[in-house]
Amino acid sequence: QVQLVESGGGLVQPGGSLRLSCAASGSIFSINAMGWYRQAPGKERVLVAAITSGGNTNYADSVKGRFAISRDNAKNTVYLQMNSLKPEDTAVYYCNADVNRGWGPALDYWGQGTQVTVSS
């Protein structure tokens, strides 16, 4: 079994910053892509940013230039640095990882979600 545990969410004023972390543990041989998604009330879950095992990244247009994704492969951890936060960034943020367990196909795992609220 594989677990993803997120941390770092909270309440921040517009223009502020937050850093999310997501640590993967359990039956992990290696991790392919890792990413962050978000889901606002009444809306679908959407990709915010993703990073491959080699460090290639991609971002949603709405966060380009403000958010930065990074990972520490030795710690099986992915980070999301969020700067210049806007009220429209308010959502539950979910971590995702494509995990090789050393047997069978790679599987997709999700964290439990962490709330980010941007409000004055």
Side-chain angles (χ1 to χ4, degrees), residues 4 19-22 24 30-37 47-60 63 67-74 76-81 94-100 108-109:
L4 301 182
R19 189 189 194 214
L20 306 183
S21 299
C22 172
S30 64
I31 301 178
N32 300 321
M34 301 184 81
W36 290 95
Y37 290 71
L47 176 69
V48 175
I51 184 168
T52 67
S53 57
N56 292 318
T57 59
N58 69 287
Y59 296 91
V63 306
F67 290 11
I69 190 170
S70 61
R71 64 190 281 176
D72 184 332
N73 291 330
N76 290 330
T77 299
V78 63
Y79 307 94
L80 185 68
Q81 178 66 43
Y94 295 92
C95 173
N96 174 268
D98 184 41
V99 178
N100 293 306
D108 220 32
Y109 292 91

Side-chain angles (χ1 to χ4, degrees), residues 73-107:
N73 291 330
K75 295 181 179 179
N76 290 330
T77 299
V78 63
Y79 307 94
L80 185 68
Q81 178 66 43
M82 304 185 294
N83 299 324
S84 302
L85 282 161
K86 304 175 180 180
E88 51 264 43
D89 294 317
T90 296
V92 178
Y93 284 69
Y94 295 92
C95 173
N96 174 268
D98 184 41
V99 178
N100 293 306
R101 297 164 296 157
W103 58 275
L107 296 180

Side-chain angles (χ1 to χ4, degrees), residues 1 5 12 22 49 98 103-104 111 117:
Q1 192 58 278
V5 178
V12 64
C22 172
D98 184 41
W103 58 275
T117 302

